[in-house]
Each structure stands twice: as structure tokens, then as C-alpha cells.
Amino acid sequence: MLSIFISGVTGRVGKILLSKIIQEPDLNVAGGSSNITNVSIGEDLGIFNGTEPLDIKITSSIENKENIDAIIDFSVSKNSINLLRFASANNIPTLVGTTGFTKIELEELIELANNFPLLIAPNTSIGIVLIQRMLESISSELSLFSIPEIYERHHKGKKDTPSGTALDLAKKLSLLGSYSDEIEIKSERSGDSAGEHKITLKRENELIEISHIALDRSLFSDGAIEAVKWISNKTSGLYTMNDIYSS
């Protein structure tokens, strides 16, 4: 039985994670946290989920390491850094789906990963992993096209722009194509979109588009659960979703 603490449990993905973990027989809810100003602080996680009480209240942070085997974090970057310091000090395997880290925060994050297993996943869907592998397979042909363009669309409440996934794809393309200029990312924030990313490759008489559309946020929670199961028995270090599907 793997006991998981959910950071960002009141968020869009956090709510789905809570429901799925409660339902899975080999998983257990160790706790959940949200922003200190959230109205659900102090509420029982089971009641919050609309099921039987769990006798575990939503907190503003992890209060102790007891009964926590792993952590899933879908919160905000400032909270994530504090969470990762705790996980590092207590050697708790952690999956971070949070995006929007600053350069300084990312440097600390990489340093902390020396002390515990940490999987950073701007996007936990297998589809994005497959797109990255597609790009790797055509790396020698990228020079035939002009510098790629990336378009991404998310719900109107998403704070970081561009998305972490778009930045990750741009980094991948830059490494594969060795472009002298920066790859342009166009961002849109509207409606309740779960996430859309599109890469466009152009040349004189043709255009290639590689796209990924998240049809439902449950794909992120499903991917996160698979990822945290995988990392729960790994040694200290920094991992990505690509490591899961290549092992």
C-alpha cells in the first residue's frame, strides 16, 4: 500500500487525484494541502471528495512525515520549493507537476534532487512523451525547415505563460535543431481548456503540424499516479516522464 500526500489537493488536477487515489485499492491518502487562504483548509478530505470521512484534514503544508510514502505536487512554484525542501530532508519520493519555476528555483530544485528521488513533469501525459520521441526521430531533418513555432492554449486561470510543457518542447527542439534564434511560443488563455500544444514546421511548399490536445484533466492524474508508483522505489536523483517509458 502506497500512501500519497497530495499538494494542491483543492486544485483542478488535485481534486481528480484525490478521488482516484481513494478508489485505488493499492493506494492510500496520506494527506492533502492547499494555499493557506483556501476556504477548504481544515475540511476532512473524504467530505471534500464527497465520500466517507477519512479523518484527515486539508492543511496548508505537510505537518510531519509520518505515513507518507510519496508526494504528488500540483500547486504553485513558491509552495513547491518549500515542499521539496521537506521531501529532500526526509527522503520522500516526489512527483512535481507544478510549472512556472524561476531560474533560481530550478537551480535549487536540481540541487535538492541529490538527496531524494524527484520526478519533474510539466506534463504527465504519455502523449507529450511520444511527441518528444517523434522529434528525436526526425532530428536530422529539422534543418530542412525554418525555425519551428509553438502554440499553446490553457484555461483562463492558468498563471504561468508560456506553459511549462511549451517551454519543455522548445528546449527539446532547440537542442535537436541547434537553432541560432529563439523558438517563438504563442500562448492563449481562454475558457476551461485542459491543455493544447502544437508544433509547426514550415518550408517553402509544405507545412507539418504535430499537436497534442488534452481532452480531459484525468489524463494528468492518471499519468501522475503511474509516475509516483514508478519513482517510489528509485534512488536519489532527478527524473522525467521519459525515464518511465524508456525503462
Side-chain angles (χ1 to χ4, degrees):
M1 183 74 74
L2 188 67
S3 293
I4 301 172
F5 186 97
I6 307 168
S7 170
V9 72
T10 60
R12 285 176 168 84
V13 178
K15 290 177 181 177
I16 303 171
L17 272 169
L18 175 63
S19 179
K20 287 182 176 289
I21 291 172
I22 287 174
Q23 294 176 56
E24 287 216 18
D26 59 338
L27 299 178
N28 184 55
V29 178
S33 64
S34 185
N35 190 292
I36 194 168
T37 60
N38 193 284
V39 295
S40 296
I41 294 291
E43 186 175 352
D44 184 275
L45 279 166
I47 300 297
F48 176 77
N49 186 60
T51 48
E52 294 294 319
L54 295 176
D55 198 27
I56 305 172
K57 293 182 178 181
I58 299 174
T59 60
S60 60
S61 62
I62 296 183
E63 297 178 344
N64 59 68
K65 65 178 181 178
E66 279 187 42
N67 304 318
I68 299 176
D69 298 320
I71 298 169
I72 297 178
D73 172 53
F74 278 92
S75 58
V76 294
S77 58
K78 183 178 179 180
N79 174 80
S80 295
I81 290 296
N82 291 327
L83 177 87
L84 292 174
R85 290 168 183 161
F86 177 90
S88 175
N90 293 283
N91 191 26
I92 303 174
T94 301
L95 162 72
V96 172
T98 300
T99 57
F101 292 102
T102 65
K103 182 179 179 181
I104 293 174
E105 287 171 337
L106 283 171
E107 289 173 353
E108 180 177 357
L109 182 153
I110 293 168
E111 182 65 27
L112 288 171
N114 291 319
N115 305 316
F116 72 118
L118 173 60
L119 194 155
I120 300 297
N123 193 307
T124 54
S125 72
I126 188 173
I128 293 298
V129 173
L130 294 178
I131 284 179
Q132 291 185 342
R133 292 187 182 179
M134 289 178 198
L135 296 174
E136 290 172 358
S137 70
I138 62 168
S139 59
S140 59
E141 285 75 42
L142 287 175
S143 60
L144 298 174
F145 298 85
S146 58
I147 296 176
E149 296 176 358
I150 296 176
Y151 164 82
E152 60 95 358
R153 176 173 175 257
H154 284 82
H155 61 88
K156 61 184 178 182
K158 186 172 177 61
K159 295 180 180 179
D160 56 314
T161 304
S163 69
T165 303
L167 291 170
D168 209 32
L169 289 171
K171 180 179 178 181
K172 185 77 170 182
L173 280 164
S174 293
L175 290 171
L176 293 173
S178 300
Y179 303 111
S180 56
D181 295 321
E182 188 174 342
I183 293 173
E184 181 182 5
I185 301 176
K186 296 179 180 178
S187 301
E188 181 182 343
R189 298 289 176 265
S190 62
D192 193 42
S193 172
E196 179 179 347
H197 294 85
K198 181 170 66 178
I199 298 168
T200 301
L201 301 171
K202 296 179 183 178
R203 59 194 310 248
E204 185 177 359
N205 294 311
E206 58 186 324
L207 179 150
I208 295 175
E209 291 184 339
I210 304 171
S211 66
H212 179 270
I213 300 174
L215 302 177
D216 190 280
R217 287 185 181 84
S218 62
L219 77 91
F220 302 126
S221 59
D222 290 341
I225 288 172
E226 287 303 310
V228 82
K229 286 179 179 178
W230 180 86
I231 200 174
S232 64
N233 59 8
K234 292 294 179 287
T235 57
S236 296
L238 190 62
Y239 301 89
T240 68
M241 291 298 291
N242 193 57
D243 293 319
I244 299 174
Y245 298 108
S246 62
S247 61

